[in-house]
Amino acid sequence: MIEGVIHTPLSVFPGEKGSVLRAMRKDEDGYNGFGEAYFSTVEQNFVKAWKRHRRMTLNIIVPVGKIGFVIYDSRANSSSFGRKISVILSRENYYRLTIPPMVWAGFTGLSNGLSLLLNIADLRHDPNEVDHKDINEIEYNWDNLI
């Protein structure tokens, strides 16, 4: 794993008319306060990479579709410096992925059609605390996730 990244199993409560999918409680690891929650979508085989937040902690859940995430630790003082990991989230692999500040992340849609993620962030979005890199600036073969 990568230092500070948390992979939390979540509950799905099936119902006759539909299911309830838990996302987060304030007494769980990864909860550092509430800033905002937002949804993001991605089409199959489209890659959205690379991004890191300087102060924000991300808590990502995928209730619809299947998304592959790649996380890269470029923090020189981290025990996992230089490490990359991949994590696939979906309804069948229903987890919350917590990504701490200063860790790079990207993702790609792995299921047919549109996939949906929810991010429960501890801070409101601030474009001045986000860094971006072009997809080719961090080496990764995205076909490994497909």
Side-chain angles (χ1 to χ4, degrees):
M1 283 301 284
I2 289 182
E3 184 179 317
V5 172
I6 304 168
H7 198 223
T8 306
L10 298 173
S11 299
V12 176
F13 302 97
E16 186 177 304
K17 297 179 183 177
S19 299
V20 173
L21 290 82
R22 273 227 19 252
M24 178 169 248
R25 292 188 336 216
K26 69 179 185 176
D27 61 345
E28 294 178 319
D29 287 340
Y31 181 82
N32 297 323
F34 178 76
E36 71 176 2
Y38 66 84
F39 294 96
S40 181
T41 62
V42 63
E43 295 283 349
Q44 183 178 25
N45 299 328
F46 189 83
V47 176
K48 293 183 175 183
W50 294 97
K51 182 177 181 178
R52 76 172 175 190
H53 289 271
R54 292 187 213 123
R55 298 185 323 269
M56 182 187 290
T57 298
L58 310 176
N59 285 288
I60 297 171
I61 300 111
V62 176
V64 177
K66 183 177 182 181
I67 300 177
F69 296 87
V70 178
I71 304 164
Y72 170 61
D73 189 355
S74 67
R75 301 170 295 175
N77 60 344
S78 170
S79 63
S80 53
F81 172 72
R83 189 174 300 159
K84 291 180 195 133
I85 63 167
S86 61
V87 177
I88 296 175
L89 299 181
S90 66
R91 178 109 172 237
E92 295 73 34
N93 191 35
Y94 195 59
Y95 285 81
R96 182 179 58 250
L97 180 62
T98 302
I99 303 173
M102 298 304 293
V103 174
W104 292 98
F107 59 92
T108 185
L110 297 176
S111 60
N112 290 329
L114 196 68
S115 293
L116 176 77
L117 72 80
L118 165 64
N119 179 26
I120 302 171
D122 62 340
L123 303 174
R124 288 180 54 188
H125 177 73
D126 175 358
N128 296 316
E129 71 88 40
V130 180
D131 296 320
H132 297 273
K133 286 186 181 275
D134 184 74
I135 191 171
N136 298 317
E137 290 185 72
I138 296 174
E139 187 176 327
Y140 187 78
N141 181 357
W142 289 91
D143 292 333
N144 288 339
L145 284 172
I146 299 171

